[in-house]
Amino acid sequence: MAVMEKREIVGILEEIGLLLELKGESPFKSNAYYNAAREIQGLTGDLAELVSSGRIREVKGIGQALSEKLAELVGTGRLVYYEELKQSVPAGLLEMTAIPGLGPKKVMALWQKLGVTTVGELEYACVENRLASLPGFGQKTQDKIMQGILQLKRRRGYHLYAGVIGEAETVLSVLRQEPGLAELVGDLRRRVEVIGSIDLLVGAAEVADVVTALRRVSGVTQVGMDGSVVKARSPSGLPIVVTVMERLTPHALLAATGSETHLAALAARASQRGVAWDLSPGGTPQPQPQADTEDALYAALGLPFIEPELREGLDEIEAADAGRLKPLVRAEQIRGIFHNHTTYSDGSASLEDMVEAAKRLGYRYIGISDHSQSAFYANGLKEDRIKEQHAAIDALRTRITGITIFKGIEADILPDGSLDYPDDVLARFDFVIGSVHSRFNLPEEEQTTRVVKALANPYLTMLGHPTGRLLLSRDGYRIDMKRVIDAAREHGKIVEVNANPHRLDLDWRLCRYAKTIGVKVSINPDAHATEGLEDVPFGVNVARKGGLESVDVVNTRDVDDMRVLLAQ
């Protein structure tokens, strides 16, 4: 029996809570499962040992009934209660809750009043205008749901990079146990934020060896007629496409990495310079130009090596030709991290646990920034609790050495552009992150003016998750980000690259603009648990795709330089 991982258990508990809401059960019952999922997500010890020993009962909100269900899950890998609950609700209702703006209560109303049980049925009901006159809905809600359905359709079949890379590296490691070479290619090698498939290139004499290796970690679904392409499915259902050749050449690696736009630009440059250019491994007896490395292929076009992350066909070739490409920032260059939440607001780990975890990861400083008072849903800090937290940080500074703790806050940017505290309160913090957490639907001009005004506040240090997007879930709010970044330059503010895999906001395309006008960024995890601190490399991917060097990222600075920067 396979061991059930913590994330799977958390997912099941969250789904039970959602199913109970769909059935119209008491909110206390569904909240019990949501709260248990949150508490378990924040645990750092061995969950199986906690459950088997019974000490799981010591975790807040986990009583006898929940501990017994956890014991069944951990012990057997299944939960009869969960399976029976799923059977009692049409399966399509769960998918409907993924539509933006459509919560469990509305889904339940659609089920009960219109008999809608799938996304397809819901789309048809919208086309027939059946929601417009339904109590609690109306024309605007129907239009919003229809837009959400179209958004959901676009996103089907795609996964976050962070949710895919672990499986992809497992497949890669298995293939590398066989003779020959294997490499990740395509979107994964370019570290694109949303992934549709796991693509690999393998040099192997025997395709049968590749098929055998793949079967250790996935289900092989198809072998091409000529044997050159093997298709499979990862454990999470993501397509795996393996292209097999006798010898893995740099020509094939460059071609398989893409993007198509980048490759087309290289071909055009080769034509202009009279360079024979053929990247296909079998297109000619000897692919042109002759080269043993990707570096040599770029050199044949008079270019320095272009990192895979940059190969998106924007301005990377022009930048390389002009000598503007510098070494990109690396994860190991990040000295400290800001934007971290604790149990003082909506985090699941204590202040001390977050600091100790950051220290274990090798960071030299950490900025604590719980939510401000307007974020009542996140237990935002009133003034008395700010004093309490600052006293706790002062005490912790005397006990924990080797890491500096900065006092901060994630202050809501209110609809009028003001921050969530008066100036005398904001002055108490070492840094202030300003973020939009409400009124996402403001017109573009109002939203832009709101954020630009906040950037003029002398106490604001950096702008948090600038567009508010949630990848594969919610588009960013309507805002003119170039005007916002221009305002950041005018007022000397930092813009966040939020490393949470669901956000990755600022987008890498806008990172390129920020760099051109000299605006600095801070790569922050937006961590709500100790595990969240480990998301920083995903933010580094964004910065690299945006062409950022270490000098463009403020938290590559040592602690003394950071103190000076925050004091300005």
Side-chain angles (χ1 to χ4, degrees):
M1 180 192 68
V3 177
M4 184 164 282
E5 295 183 7
K6 184 173 75 170
R7 62 180 176 81
E8 295 175 288
I9 293 172
V10 167
I12 287 172
L13 293 175
E14 289 175 339
E15 194 168 308
I16 289 173
L18 183 54
L19 288 165
L20 290 171
E21 282 196 86
L22 288 171
K23 287 174 66 69
E25 297 281 357
S26 162
F28 296 102
K29 198 170 180 180
S30 55
N31 285 339
Y33 285 93
Y34 289 140
N35 292 336
R38 186 165 55 249
E39 293 293 335
I40 288 172
Q41 180 65 53
L43 293 176
T44 55
D46 185 334
L47 180 58
E49 193 278 327
L50 285 173
V51 171
S52 62
S53 68
R55 290 191 294 116
I56 194 69
R57 292 282 303 276
E58 298 171 10
V59 176
K60 179 183 176 183
I62 297 182
Q64 180 67 32
L66 265 171
S67 67
E68 289 175 358
K69 288 181 174 65
L70 287 169
E72 184 181 345
L73 263 177
V74 172
T76 68
R78 60 185 294 237
L79 179 59
V80 172
Y81 173 73
Y82 168 60
E83 293 168 0
E84 291 176 348
L85 194 59
K86 281 204 298 185
Q87 291 297 320
S88 70
V89 173
L93 298 189
L94 283 173
E95 185 182 21
M96 285 165 60
T97 63
I99 297 170
L102 199 56
K105 288 184 180 179
K106 277 191 164 60
V107 170
M108 187 168 64
L110 291 166
W111 176 26
Q112 293 177 342
K113 296 177 181 179
L114 296 181
V116 168
T117 60
T118 68
V119 172
E121 290 174 352
L122 178 59
E123 183 176 9
Y124 192 68
C126 289
V127 170
E128 289 195 329
N129 210 35
R130 293 168 61 197
L131 276 63
S133 59
L134 196 65
F137 286 80
Q139 185 64 49
K140 286 186 178 179
T141 299
Q142 177 175 280
D143 293 343
K144 186 175 180 181
I145 288 172
M146 192 63 178
Q147 291 171 6
I149 291 171
L150 297 176
Q151 192 177 87
L152 184 66
K153 281 176 148 184
R154 290 197 304 269
R155 291 164 178 163
R156 278 177 175 160
Y158 286 90
H159 298 251
L160 300 179
Y161 175 91
V164 172
I165 189 60
E167 281 190 338
E169 288 177 342
T170 297
V171 174
L172 181 64
S173 66
V174 168
L175 291 175
R176 281 180 170 171
Q177 293 171 16
E178 302 299 322
L181 294 174
E183 295 289 350
L184 291 172
V185 291
D187 290 350
L188 275 169
R189 189 172 183 228
R190 298 200 319 280
R191 301 185 187 184
V192 176
E193 57 270 42
V194 174
I195 302 296
S197 63
I198 296 173
D199 298 304
L200 300 105
L201 206 58
V202 175
E206 300 292 338
V207 174
D209 293 340
V210 174
V211 173
T212 300
L214 271 178
R215 283 184 173 143
R216 295 180 208 150
V217 289
S218 65
V220 174
T221 59
Q222 181 183 348
V223 178
M225 293 294 291
D226 61 354
S228 63
V229 177
V230 180
K231 295 185 177 180
R233 287 239 166 233
S234 75
S236 67
L238 201 68
I240 300 173
V241 181
V242 182
T243 301
V244 185
M245 59 189 61
E246 287 188 16
R247 186 175 69 87
L248 199 161
T249 66
H251 304 73
L253 183 59
L254 179 57
T257 297
S259 66
E260 290 184 9
T261 309
H262 179 78
L263 296 176
L266 291 178
R269 183 179 176 88
S271 176
Q272 292 165 3
R273 298 169 73 93
V275 176
W277 192 256
D278 177 16
L279 298 185
S280 58
T284 63
Q286 172 64 50
Q288 297 295 326
Q290 294 186 24
D292 294 326
T293 65
E294 281 186 302
D295 299 65
L297 284 173
Y298 282 105
L301 298 180
L303 295 170
F305 177 75
I306 298 176
E307 295 284 359
E309 295 96 321
L310 294 175
R311 301 177 195 176
E312 296 294 345
L314 295 181
D315 60 354
E316 67 272 10
I317 293 175
E318 293 82 356
D321 197 29
R324 296 198 308 270
L325 291 188
K326 307 297 181 183
L328 302 178
V329 63
R330 304 187 310 276
E332 59 268 25
Q333 291 176 307
I334 305 298
R335 303 285 185 87
I337 44 177
F338 296 95
H339 202 159
N340 303 288
H341 299 268
T342 73
T343 49
Y344 273 92
S345 64
D346 62 344
S348 63
S350 69
L351 171 63
E352 183 169 357
D353 285 345
M354 291 294 281
V355 173
E356 289 282 15
K359 183 179 177 181
R360 285 194 299 274
L361 289 170
Y363 293 118
R364 303 306 303 271
Y365 50 89
I366 180 172
I368 302 298
S369 52
D370 280 297
H371 283 286
S372 63
Q373 57 189 351
S374 287
F376 59 88
Y377 52 87
N379 194 29
L381 274 63
K382 301 289 187 184
E383 288 189 43
D384 59 333
R385 296 184 61 236
I386 292 173
K387 293 176 182 177
E388 179 186 334
Q389 186 183 67
H390 285 189
I393 291 174
D394 288 337
L396 206 55
R397 284 170 169 172
T398 65
R399 297 207 317 272
I400 300 180
T401 59
I403 186 168
T404 297
I405 311 169
F406 290 114
K407 299 172 182 174
I409 195 76
E410 185 182 13
D412 273 30
I413 298 175
L414 303 179
D416 66 355
S418 62
L419 297 182
D420 201 12
Y421 298 110
D423 288 354
D424 64 315
V425 175
L426 294 172
R428 301 176 198 171
F429 299 102
D430 295 321
F431 69 98
V432 174
I433 299 173
S435 301
V436 170
H437 288 124
S438 63
R439 301 289 299 277
F440 295 153
N441 60 347
L442 286 178
E444 180 177 310
E445 179 60 31
E446 288 184 40
Q447 198 74 271
T448 305
T449 300
R450 171 190 192 178
V451 174
V452 166
K453 180 181 175 182
L455 287 166
N457 188 306
Y459 293 100
L460 186 137
T461 312
M462 65 184 77
L463 177 63
H465 43 73
T467 72
R469 77 177 185 183
L470 294 174
L471 292 167
L472 300 182
S473 178
R474 182 179 76 202
D475 291 336
Y477 32 76
R478 290 169 292 174
I479 189 167
D480 184 341
M481 276 307 302
K482 288 195 173 180
R483 268 182 60 196
V484 168
I485 295 170
D486 288 344
R489 177 183 61 177
E490 179 184 351
H491 299 293
K493 306 301 185 184
I494 301 161
V495 176
E496 176 179 81
V497 171
N498 191 295
N500 184 301
H502 293 273
R503 291 191 182 274
L504 301 183
D505 180 19
L506 193 66
D507 184 275
W508 57 267
R509 299 161 187 83
L510 288 165
C511 286
R512 294 190 180 193
Y513 179 70
K515 179 179 176 63
T516 62
I517 66 170
V519 170
K520 305 298 184 185
V521 308
S522 179
I523 300 173
N524 300 331
D526 196 355
H528 287 70
T530 54
E531 293 94 333
L533 299 174
E534 299 174 19
D535 286 340
V536 171
F538 302 124
V540 173
N541 288 350
V542 171
R544 288 175 64 86
K545 287 189 73 62
L548 301 191
E549 308 162 50
S550 62
V551 69
D552 301 314
V553 181
V554 296
N555 49 331
T556 60
R557 305 183 186 199
D558 63 30
V559 67
D560 291 332
D561 285 347
M562 186 54 68
R563 279 199 187 95
V564 172
L565 178 66
L566 295 181
Q568 291 175 355

